[in-house]
Amino acid sequence: MNWQVILLISVLLYSISIVLQKIILKEENNNPLPFSILFQLFVGTLILIFGLLFNAITLPNITPIFLNIIIMILLWTFNNLFLYKAIKLSEASKFSILYSSRALFTILASSIFLKQSLTINGYIGTFLIILGIILVSIKSHKLVFKKEDIYSILAAIGFGFALTNDKFLLGYFNTYTYASLVFLLPGLFLWIIYPNVTKEMRFYFQKKTFTKFAFVSTLMTSSIILVYSALKLSTNSSQFASINMLTVILIVILSMIFLKERDNMLRKLLGVVLSFVGLLFVASSM
């Protein structure tokens, strides 16, 4: 199986997982914080188990990268803190478009810390993504950002800077080890900060809820393992990034079908097209 097929399967699993997470979180009394903590710990543990089965868990000397590991924990905690609030409160379709701005913040962080300059295609792509975001945020000819929209943008900022730090750390870790740590360490840190949510975690261990939770976690785990496998096999980083960006379109389509998110459908679709084309331009600049 070639890496393009592996990546397409990963994209599909990730998109389904996001929509299913929205379905679980949309219940009125369902707190996104305990969900976030348990989800990270569950997925991280599954990745760790797979890594152990393939004898792929090894730890490097962490002394020279200790500060970057702390930064990783803080940035991914920041991302997750706002990510699941955004998923719960936002329409999945609107969230996916706003969260696509993570490409912009990845470019910004890379230009600051990795000294990677932006090409003309990157500038064009940035403009189109921003235009798409504005389009889906307009209400009655006014640009309106609701609380949940701000959460999506803050999560995107966390993602962009965290991913830049990840690029550095992956030079020291293998993919299974690092992927498990990216989920486990921020999850544990978030739990330490908010220990009072422990009692609310019992909700996810009820038989009916746990079945859904475990299924969604397994989908996400499979997606992460597949995307890293595809990344290892890929020979064209721009093509890889472009295919991976299909999640924006798939989430919008799936949310329209399963979540009945059909308000302002034409404007959303146009926003998706603009954002997706922008993401393709950004990918071609990598």
Side-chain angles (χ1 to χ4, degrees):
M1 188 181 296
N2 61 38
W3 68 265
Q4 290 94 336
V5 175
I6 295 172
L7 183 56
L8 282 171
I9 295 171
S10 171
V11 164
L12 178 61
L13 293 178
Y14 174 83
S15 302
I16 294 171
S17 174
I18 291 293
V19 173
L20 291 178
Q21 287 177 60
K22 171 65 179 178
I23 291 172
I24 293 174
L25 284 168
K26 73 178 182 178
E27 295 181 22
E28 187 176 349
N29 296 321
N30 201 338
N31 187 344
L33 193 54
F35 177 88
S36 171
I37 293 169
L38 276 178
F39 188 74
Q40 291 174 78
L41 295 179
F42 203 89
V43 172
T45 301
L46 287 176
I47 295 172
L48 184 63
I49 291 170
F50 276 106
L52 290 170
L53 288 174
F54 291 108
N55 197 28
I57 299 297
T58 57
L59 283 175
N61 176 19
I62 66 169
T63 303
I65 54 174
F66 182 75
L67 180 59
N68 290 87
I69 292 174
I70 297 299
I71 292 171
M72 177 268 283
I73 295 170
L74 294 176
L75 287 174
W76 281 117
T77 298
F78 180 88
N79 167 267
N80 290 315
L81 194 58
F82 293 106
L83 177 64
Y84 293 98
K85 289 183 179 181
I87 292 174
K88 177 177 175 62
L89 299 173
S90 300
E91 290 185 349
S93 53
K94 189 176 184 182
F95 161 78
S96 69
I97 297 169
L98 292 173
Y99 194 53
S100 70
S101 65
R102 63 192 184 275
L104 308 184
F105 297 111
T106 301
I107 290 172
L108 176 62
S110 297
S111 65
I112 294 172
F113 298 107
L114 301 180
K115 308 302 180 184
Q116 296 178 356
S117 58
L118 200 60
T119 66
I120 186 63
N121 280 356
Y123 284 112
I124 294 171
T126 298
F127 172 76
L128 290 174
I129 293 170
I130 292 173
L131 193 60
I133 289 171
I134 290 173
L135 191 63
V136 299
S137 302
I138 290 176
K139 299 287 184 183
S140 302
H141 307 293
K142 292 182 180 179
L143 185 61
V144 178
F145 281 98
K146 297 180 179 179
K147 178 175 65 175
E148 55 266 31
D149 301 332
I150 302 299
Y151 290 157
S152 298
I153 298 296
L154 288 173
I157 292 172
F159 181 97
F161 281 82
L163 190 65
T164 302
N165 187 56
D166 286 352
K167 289 179 182 179
F168 172 77
L169 285 174
L170 279 168
Y172 293 84
F173 290 89
N174 66 48
T175 53
Y176 275 98
T177 303
Y178 191 70
S180 63
L181 292 177
V182 161
F183 280 86
L184 288 172
L185 295 182
L188 288 170
F189 183 62
L190 202 54
W191 198 357
I192 292 170
I193 298 173
Y194 297 100
N196 58 312
V197 302
T198 303
K199 58 185 178 182
E200 297 181 55
M201 293 179 181
R202 288 178 294 181
F203 172 79
Y204 298 101
F205 289 98
Q206 296 174 11
K207 185 175 180 181
K208 185 178 179 181
T209 310
F210 183 75
T211 302
K212 297 177 185 176
F213 180 83
F215 179 67
V216 173
S217 300
T218 303
L219 284 180
M220 182 61 76
T221 301
S222 302
S223 172
I224 292 165
I225 291 173
L226 288 172
V227 77
Y228 276 122
S229 299
L231 184 59
K232 199 168 187 178
L233 294 171
S234 67
T235 54
N236 187 317
S237 59
S238 294
Q239 190 180 22
F240 178 93
S242 301
I243 295 172
N244 198 38
M245 289 164 191
L246 286 171
T247 55
V248 179
I249 291 177
L250 277 175
I251 290 172
V252 172
I253 293 172
L254 290 171
S255 64
M256 286 179 178
I257 296 171
F258 296 106
L259 299 175
K260 313 298 182 185
E261 295 180 358
R262 295 167 188 168
D263 294 339
N264 304 308
M265 188 183 299
L266 184 60
R267 187 151 46 80
K268 285 180 184 175
L269 289 174
L270 184 55
V272 168
V273 171
L274 286 172
S275 295
F276 182 71
V277 173
L279 288 167
L280 291 179
F281 272 99
V282 169
S284 68
S285 71
M286 294 178 179

